[in-house]
C-alpha cells in the first residue's frame, strides 16, 4: 500500500515536471521574448493570432508552477493585446490553473507528512478553521510582493479545502491582475505603496492569531470557526 502511494506521488511529480518542461520548450521554440517586457510580450502574442490566449495561459501556468517567469508583466501584456476585461480573464484563468497544479503537487507530496507532525496546529490539522485559511490565502493573494508559487505550494499542505482555496485565489488575484492589465505600457510597481500594503497585511496576519488567542470567544473567533468546525 505504502509502495503504491509513493509510486503514485513520484509518477505525478514526473508528469508535472515533464509537462512544465514541454511548455517551456514550446514557448521558446515559438520565439517567446527573453526580456518579458510587456511591450515585447504583447507583440509576440499578437503574432500568434488565435493561439495567443492559449500561449498566454501556458506562460501563466509555467510562471506559477515553476517560477521562471514573473506573472505581472504577463498580466500587463494581456491587457495590451486583449483589453482590460478579456486580458484579465485570460490571465486569471491561467494563473488559477497553475496554482491548482502547484496546490495538488504540494498536497500529494507533503500534506500527509505535515498533518502527522502538526495535527494539533489549527492551520495544518484536518480540523483546522476553513474560514481562517480562506482569509489567509485571500489576503496574501491581494499583494503581488508575495510569491504566487510559494503561496500555492504552502496552501497545499494546509487543511484548506480545494474549492475554498480556488475561490480565495481567484478573488484575491483579480484586483491586481485587473490593475496591471489596465496599466499596459505604463506597467510599473510602486515600491512604496507595495511595501506599505505588504507590511499592513503581514501586521494583520501576525497580530490576528494573538488577538484570537486572547479572545477565543470573540465574535471574530466564532465567525472564523476556530473551534474546528467547518
Amino acid at each position: 500500500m505504502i509502495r503504491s502511494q509513493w509510486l503514485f506521488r513520484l509518477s505525478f511529480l514526473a508528469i508535472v515536471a515533464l509537462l512544465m518542461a514541454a511548455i517551456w520548450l514550446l514557448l521558446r521554440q515559438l520565439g517567446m521574448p527573453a526580456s518579458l517586457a510587456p511591450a515585447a510580450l504583447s507583440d509576440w502574442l499578437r503574432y500568434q493570432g488565435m493561439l495567443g490566449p492559449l500561449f498566454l495561459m501556458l506562460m501563466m501556468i509555467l510562471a506559477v508552477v515553476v517560477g521562471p517567469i514573473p506573472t505581472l508583466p504577463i498580466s500587463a501584456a494581456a491587457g495590451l493585446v486583449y483589453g482590460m476585461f478579456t486580458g484579465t480573464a485570460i490571465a486569471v484563468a491561467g494563473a488559477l490553473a497553475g496554482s491548482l497544479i502547484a496546490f495538488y503537487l504540494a498536497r500529494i507530496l507533503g500534506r500527509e507528512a505535515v498533518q502527522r507532525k502538526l495535527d494539533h496546529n489549527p492551520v495544518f490539522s484536518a480540523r483546522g478553521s476553513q474560514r481562517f485559511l480562506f482569509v489567509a490565502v485571500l489576503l496574501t493573494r491581494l499583494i503581488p510582493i508575495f510569491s504566487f508559487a510559494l503561496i500555492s505550494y504552502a496552501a497545499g499542505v494546509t487543511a484548506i479545502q480545494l474549492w475554498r482555496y480556488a475561490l480565495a485565489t481567484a478573488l484575491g488575484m483579480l484586483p491586481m491582475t485587473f490593475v496591471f492589465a489596465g496599466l499596459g505600457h505604463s506597467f510599473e510597481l510602486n515600491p512604496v505603496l507595495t511595501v506599505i500594503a505588504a507590511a499592513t497585511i503581514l501586521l494583520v496576519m501576525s497580530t490576528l492569531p494573538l488577538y484570537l488567542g486572547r479572545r477565543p470567544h470573540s465574535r471574530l473567533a466564532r465567525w472564523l470557526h476556530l473551534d474546528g468546525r467547518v
Side-chain angles (χ1 to χ4, degrees), residues 17 33 53 99 127 131 141 145 174 177:
S99 72
R127 301 174 300 280
R131 285 186 177 177
R141 292 301 195 198
I145 196 172
L174 191 59
T177 304

Side-chain angles (χ1 to χ4, degrees), residues 21-46:
I23 292 175
W24 173 255
L25 291 175
L26 173 65
L27 294 176
R28 293 300 296 159
Q29 287 295 319
L30 291 172
M32 181 183 69
S35 68
L36 300 180
L41 285 176
S42 62
D43 290 340
W44 177 72
L45 288 170
R46 287 192 186 97

Side-chain angles (χ1 to χ4, degrees), residues 95-171:
L96 182 59
S99 72
L100 290 175
I101 294 174
F103 177 87
Y104 261 118
L105 191 60
R107 177 143 294 188
I108 290 173
L109 296 179
R111 169 64 178 150
E112 185 178 328
V114 169
Q115 187 177 358
R116 283 200 304 267
K117 294 285 187 180
L118 302 170
D119 187 50
H120 299 291
N121 187 294
V123 173
F124 300 102
S125 169
R127 301 174 300 280
S129 168
Q130 293 295 322
R131 285 186 177 177
F132 179 82
L133 291 168
F134 177 88
V135 171
V137 173
L138 178 66
L139 289 175
T140 52
R141 292 301 195 198
L142 285 171
I143 303 299
I145 196 172
F146 296 106
S147 169
F148 203 97
L150 182 59
I151 297 169
S152 302
Y153 285 112
V157 297
T158 68
I160 191 169
Q161 296 169 341
L162 175 63
W163 73 267
R164 294 178 189 269
Y165 165 77
L167 182 60
T169 293
L171 293 178

Side-chain angles (χ1 to χ4, degrees), residues 123 132 135-136 139-140 146 197-214:
V123 173
F132 179 82
V135 171
L139 289 175
T140 52
F146 296 106
T200 301
I201 290 181
L202 285 173
L203 180 64
V204 170
M205 293 181 67
S206 59
T207 57
L208 185 59
L210 297 175
Y211 169 81
L212 295 173
R214 293 181 178 181

